Amino acid sequence: MIDKSSPVPIYYQLEEHIKSQIEKGELKPGDCLPSEREYSEKYGISRMTVRQAINNLVSDGYLIRQKGKGTFVSERKFEQKLSELTSFTEDMKARGLKPDSKLLQFEIIPSDDAIATQLSIKRHDPVYQIRRIRLADGVPMAQTSGPLRDESHVAFRKTELSTYSEAATPICWRRKPFTGQED
Amino acid sequence: MIDKSSPVPIYYQLEEHIKSQIEKGELKPGDCLPSEREYSEKYGISRMTVRQAINNLVSDGYLIRQKGKGTFVSERKFEQKLSELTSFTEDMKARGLKPDSKLLQFEIIPSDDAIATQLSIKRHDPVYQIRRIRLADGVPMAQTSGPLRDESHVAFRKTELSTYSEAATPICWRRKPFTGQED
DNA sequence: TAGTGGTCTAGACCACGGA
DNA sequence: CCGTGGTCTAGACCACTAC
């Protein structure tokens, strides 16, 4: 599983390993991962190396850390991967179009109640929110979007380009580690 | 400068210190920062702690790392801060509107020649690109955008919301540390 | 060769959460 | 109380860059 003699960094091997477990469904959204110390012992690597892998997956939205509790698989990333594989990509392929060009959109928003609860942060703490524009042969076909927060967002989202509709769930994740100095 | 007895993490103190140096202009875009070992000695802290601070600033687009060379202030982040203070924000205030609501847009794109050169990466290596929607009292007023890369982007950018024009430069930064396994 | 960032170790202490 | 993640140390070796 982990090859210490490989030129590929250990943290990156572990990162890909965990990512693949999530994508295969061996780790499901909401699941608690083994602790950092368990990974450390299991693979005979330093805890700091484990942390580097997990940090990257947290940045990428795959995992959520909770102090004193554990590290959990994010609720949203997996669902998005799924819909990518089942609905849009397959559909575009079926139409003979190239679905591999896609782009991500992010914004930083204050969290609402639902998001704050899900991520175990305070309400209004800033979070990243993702939406996606789906491309087929370079032409935008769909826009992944969620509940609207204010009119400006509505206006922005309503472009004539959204000719393809898709089940819509924004992904949110914490913007910064907290220092205890926020309040 | 660094208070070890503070409950604020050392890496975060250093992070804010460097960030403020950039914003004050004491560190200018393109400038080379002191090496990690220099920071380590100067403040009597571990190099890993220095790295944690710098890592965060790299993620946020303030700094760029170059193996074997050094860490440099990003070319774009500072300019954006400037334009934010001088043009849009002042203008909106002058009109009696609230410019504090803004949102960021990101996408992941293959780098073109210009970006690849600027960031010292290979052409087509993925980079983040930012654009911004400027809000005044919650109504989109401007869209920060750069040279267009393909028609789909053109289509997406041409919304009827871009009623306010602004000097436009996308910010780009590296997506991942490189492992040597890319090719 | 010397300096840089990249990776990694084997510990340590802390604050937090739950039983 | 114990286990968790958060922070931090004082080293180490590597690959890369520049001279």
Side-chain angles (χ1 to χ4, degrees), chain A residues 101-120:
Chain A
S101 295
K102 63 177 189 288
L103 63 89
L104 299 176
Q105 302 187 296
F106 295 56
E107 57 181 287
I108 297 170
I109 58 165
S111 53
D112 61 17
D113 280 321
I115 295 169
T117 302
Q118 189 183 337
L119 300 186
S120 302

Side-chain angles (χ1 to χ4, degrees), chain A residues 7-9 11-12 15 19 60 103-108 133 135 138 140 152-153 155-156 159 161 176-177 179 181, chain B residues 7-9 11-12 15 19 60 103-108 133 138 140 152-153 155-156 159 161 176-177 179 181:
Chain A
V8 180
Y11 77 88
Y12 191 76
E15 202 180 321
K19 204 189 292 182
D60 285 350
L103 63 89
L104 299 176
Q105 302 187 296
F106 295 56
E107 57 181 287
I108 297 170
I133 294 286
L135 304 177
S152 65
H153 290 181
F156 178 66
T159 72
L161 304 170
K176 290 225 166 195
T179 63
Q181 302 298 309
Chain B
V8 180
Y11 77 89
Y12 191 77
E15 201 179 322
K19 204 189 289 184
D60 285 350
L103 63 89
L104 299 175
Q105 301 187 297
F106 295 56
E107 56 181 289
I108 297 170
I133 295 285
S152 64
H153 289 180
F156 180 63
T159 73
L161 303 171
K176 290 223 168 198
T179 63
Q181 303 300 308

Side-chain angles (χ1 to χ4, degrees), chain A residues 11 36 40 45-55, chain B residues 48-49 52:
Chain A
Y11 77 88
E36 297 171 354
S40 174
I45 60 182
S46 164
R47 189 181 152 215
M48 288 301 280
T49 304
V50 175
R51 282 184 63 80
Q52 187 170 1
I54 292 181
N55 277 337
Chain B
M48 289 301 280
T49 303
Q52 187 169 359

Side-chain angles (χ1 to χ4, degrees), chain A residues 113-130:
Chain A
D113 280 321
I115 295 169
T117 302
Q118 189 183 337
L119 300 186
S120 302
I121 58 179
K122 298 173 200 146
R123 201 157 66 101
H124 300 318
D125 275 345
V127 294
Y128 287 118
Q129 178 176 298
I130 282 188

Side-chain angles (χ1 to χ4, degrees), chain A:
Chain A
M1 203 73 76
I2 299 291
D3 179 6
K4 290 198 182 185
S5 68
S6 163
V8 180
I10 295 171
Y11 77 88
Y12 191 76
Q13 293 181 46
L14 180 56
E15 202 180 321
E16 292 299 311
H17 171 60
I18 296 174
K19 204 189 292 182
S20 86
Q21 284 187 311
I22 294 173
E23 282 160 10
K24 283 179 195 162
E26 295 166 23
L27 284 172
K28 295 185 176 55
D31 280 0
C32 184
L33 268 72
S35 75
E36 297 171 354
R37 288 166 181 86
E38 281 181 74
Y39 276 122
S40 174
E41 287 177 22
K42 180 174 177 185
Y43 295 115
I45 60 182
S46 164
R47 189 181 152 215
M48 288 301 280
T49 304
V50 175
R51 282 184 63 80
Q52 187 170 1
I54 292 181
N55 277 337
N56 290 342
L57 293 173
V58 170
S59 302
D60 285 350
Y62 286 94
L63 303 179
I64 308 274
R65 304 186 111 126
Q66 295 194 28
K67 205 191 301 186
K69 294 177 69 177
T71 303
F72 300 85
V73 178
S74 162
E75 294 291 340
R76 299 298 181 186
K77 196 90 181 188
F78 181 67
E79 291 174 23
Q80 207 180 53
K81 289 261 166 190
L82 260 190
S83 75
E84 185 176 334
L85 289 173
T86 57
S87 61
F88 181 81
T89 301
E90 291 308 318
D91 189 29
M92 288 304 106
K93 279 183 185 166
R95 298 183 191 196
L97 298 171
K98 264 184 62 184
D100 65 331
S101 295
K102 63 177 189 288
L103 63 89
L104 299 176
Q105 302 187 296
F106 295 56
E107 57 181 287
I108 297 170
I109 58 165
S111 53
D112 61 17
D113 280 321
I115 295 169
T117 302
Q118 189 183 337
L119 300 186
S120 302
I121 58 179
K122 298 173 200 146
R123 201 157 66 101
H124 300 318
D125 275 345
V127 294
Y128 287 118
Q129 178 176 298
I130 282 188
R131 285 193 237 86
R132 295 183 301 176
I133 294 286
R134 315 308 299 270
L135 304 177
D137 277 356
V139 178
M141 294 298 282
Q143 197 170 348
T144 311
S145 63
L148 303 174
R149 258 164 257 288
D150 62 46
E151 288 310 308
S152 65
H153 290 181
V154 178
F156 178 66
R157 282 166 179 161
K158 282 184 180 165
T159 72
E160 65 290 336
L161 304 170
S162 305
T163 57
Y164 186 92
S165 83
E166 184 183 11
T169 45
I171 319 171
C172 298
W173 67 93
R174 295 171 64 143
R175 207 182 151 210
K176 290 225 166 195
F178 285 75
T179 63
Q181 302 298 309
E182 280 81 10
D183 285 341

